[in-house]
Amino acid sequence: MALQALQSSGVAFRKILSHFPEELSLAFAYGSGVYRQTGPSSNQQNAMLDFVFTVDDPVTWHSKNLKKNWNHYSFLKFLGPKVITTIQNNYGAGVYYNPLIMCVGRLIKYGVISTSILIEDLLNWNNLYVAGRLHKPVKIIAMNENVALRSALDKNLKSAVTAAFLMLPESFSEEDLFIEIAGLSYSGDFRMVIGENKTKVLNIVKPNIAHFRELYGSILQENPQVVYKIQQGRLEIDKSPEGQFTQLMTLPKALQQQINHIMDPPGKNRDVEETFLQLAHDPDCGEVVRLGLSAIVRPSSLRQSTKGIFTAGMKKSLIYSSLKLHKMWKGWLRKTS
């Protein structure tokens, strides 16, 4: 099963985890502090460690965390765990982030998301926020026996492969595929214009081909629509209209809806099958899929970043934003030198 490729048991990560309430259905670390990246994020020792904690009962979890880690929260802590959970669930992408926290001698950022909201995002790509993080290699630190969550994690990886196939030619390299997959959740992300290094996707993929291969290898080998030449690192896929129609019909629900909205002129009200049958014959099929992804990611990333000003507080938001801009500037200087 593809999830096995994600698992890790780093002592340092578990030590950090011990500073938080235990009721987690899933906890993972991601980003440049976990997996080496090229470019301005290449120094892993100084990189901030990013975590996501998935919880079944956010009110109880935040209540316990406020007692343990009161100083992690912005002014919103004075409103209590119920208000914090309402902000977490109902605004942005369903995640509540506390950034710039010192823990066991490392600077960390952690996001808290409800298990039910994460499962919805993994299956349907409502926000493609945490689901997008999980398209890339991550270090899973804790995971309980939630069958629905495990199944949704696996489905999210398969959906990423399907979406990438629709945007790729008939024959391509493993690196081409992994770059496409890693870029799915950055399509339309306004932070790629302001605050993120433009070569971020390449920087993520190039040093981590082996980790991507471990994550997606079994999915590619079991997919009936692909010929996976492992030794050469090459793939061939079915780009016939029938093949593309099958892929379109298995995309996550929110992406299907966005594609249908793009393709279906006002007043026509065709069903999804009819729209996708037309799109499967269209040479611009991949570009329409990309537009559909942007229509999900752009508002989601903007809402989540706006929410971050309140959850982090003004001072931390300014520091965090300046760190991102500094990283982007370093990437630009590296590119022009």
Side-chain angles (χ1 to χ4, degrees):
M1 186 170 156
L3 280 181
Q4 296 305 314
L6 295 169
Q7 299 201 10
S8 172
S9 56
V11 174
F13 296 130
R14 290 206 306 276
K15 199 174 279 189
I16 289 169
L17 209 60
S18 70
H19 288 256
F20 296 92
E22 291 179 0
E23 295 81 359
L24 301 171
S25 57
L26 173 69
F28 67 88
Y30 66 94
S32 59
V34 182
Y35 285 102
R36 189 175 69 84
Q37 294 182 15
T38 52
S41 301
S42 56
N43 188 344
Q44 276 184 287
Q45 290 304 311
N46 298 329
M48 182 160 58
L49 289 173
D50 298 316
F51 294 89
V52 168
F53 301 151
T54 307
V55 300
D56 292 341
D57 183 351
V59 176
T60 301
W61 195 91
H62 282 296
S63 181
K64 290 181 178 180
N65 199 42
L66 282 163
K67 287 174 186 168
K68 270 190 141 184
N69 300 302
W70 174 260
N71 63 330
H72 288 189
Y73 291 81
S74 70
F75 68 93
L76 294 174
K77 62 191 167 197
F78 297 107
L79 303 178
K82 286 186 180 176
V83 172
I84 286 171
T85 298
T86 299
I87 291 166
Q88 174 185 306
N89 290 344
N90 299 337
Y91 299 93
V95 200
Y96 190 103
Y97 271 106
N98 283 328
L100 301 174
I101 307 294
M102 282 304 296
C103 188
V104 198
R106 287 296 299 265
L107 192 63
I108 73 164
K109 173 182 82 176
Y110 66 93
V112 185
I113 186 169
S114 159
T115 306
S116 59
I117 288 174
L118 176 58
I119 289 172
E120 278 289 306
D121 197 28
L122 292 167
L123 293 176
N124 300 322
W125 290 6
N126 299 333
N127 297 300
L128 200 51
Y129 200 83
V130 177
R133 300 285 183 277
L134 286 158
H135 288 162
K136 277 83 79 176
V138 302
K139 296 278 189 189
I140 289 194
I141 313 154
M143 182 158 57
N144 68 13
E145 294 303 315
N146 186 324
V147 176
L149 177 57
R150 285 171 178 262
S151 174
L153 285 162
D154 207 31
K155 176 72 166 65
N156 182 48
L157 296 177
K158 289 174 180 172
S159 296
V161 168
T162 303
F165 280 175
L166 285 160
M167 296 185 287
L168 285 161
E170 194 170 356
S171 176
F172 49 88
S173 69
E174 279 180 321
E175 187 176 292
D176 294 333
L177 173 64
F178 299 148
I179 286 168
E180 206 64 71
I181 287 173
L184 293 174
S185 61
Y186 295 119
S187 299
D189 190 336
F190 83 100
R191 293 170 303 167
M192 296 303 282
V193 180
I194 302 170
E196 288 287 6
N197 177 20
K198 304 296 184 297
T199 56
K200 186 178 179 74
V201 174
L202 277 175
N203 293 344
I204 290 168
V205 174
K206 281 191 174 292
N208 294 300
I209 292 286
H211 294 299
F212 274 93
R213 192 181 292 132
E214 193 181 358
L215 189 57
Y216 288 100
S218 62
I219 290 172
L220 295 171
Q221 287 175 61
E222 291 163 15
N223 190 318
Q225 288 191 302
V226 64
V227 176
Y228 184 20
K229 301 172 183 175
I230 300 170
Q231 298 303 319
Q232 297 102 302
R234 300 286 306 175
L235 300 97
E236 291 173 11
I237 54 172
D238 180 4
K239 293 299 282 186
S240 69
E242 294 79 16
Q244 295 206 129
F245 177 73
T246 301
Q247 289 162 4
L248 288 163
M249 290 302 292
T250 58
L251 288 173
K253 187 178 170 185
L255 181 53
Q256 286 187 337
Q257 288 170 341
Q258 291 295 344
I259 292 168
N260 193 47
H261 180 70
I262 292 163
M263 288 293 294
D264 197 25
K268 232 180 175 189
N269 295 322
R270 294 180 300 177
D271 63 29
V272 171
E273 269 192 50
E274 191 183 342
T275 305
F276 285 1
L277 202 55
Q278 179 195 335
L279 182 58
H281 287 81
D282 192 326
D284 293 325
C285 178
E287 286 311 305
V288 175
V289 173
R290 204 178 298 280
L291 286 172
L293 287 163
S294 296
I296 294 170
V297 173
R298 189 180 295 109
S300 168
S301 63
L302 187 55
R303 288 194 306 265
Q304 184 64 35
S305 294
T306 305
K307 171 178 161 182
I309 296 168
F310 298 95
T311 61
M314 188 59 73
K315 184 182 174 184
K316 279 188 179 180
S317 293
L318 287 170
I319 295 168
Y320 186 69
S321 298
S322 67
L323 288 171
K324 286 284 186 184
L325 287 167
H326 178 64
K327 194 189 284 188
M328 185 177 96
W329 177 249
K330 276 171 70 179
W332 184 81
L333 285 177
R334 189 183 291 257
K335 196 175 174 182
T336 53
S337 62

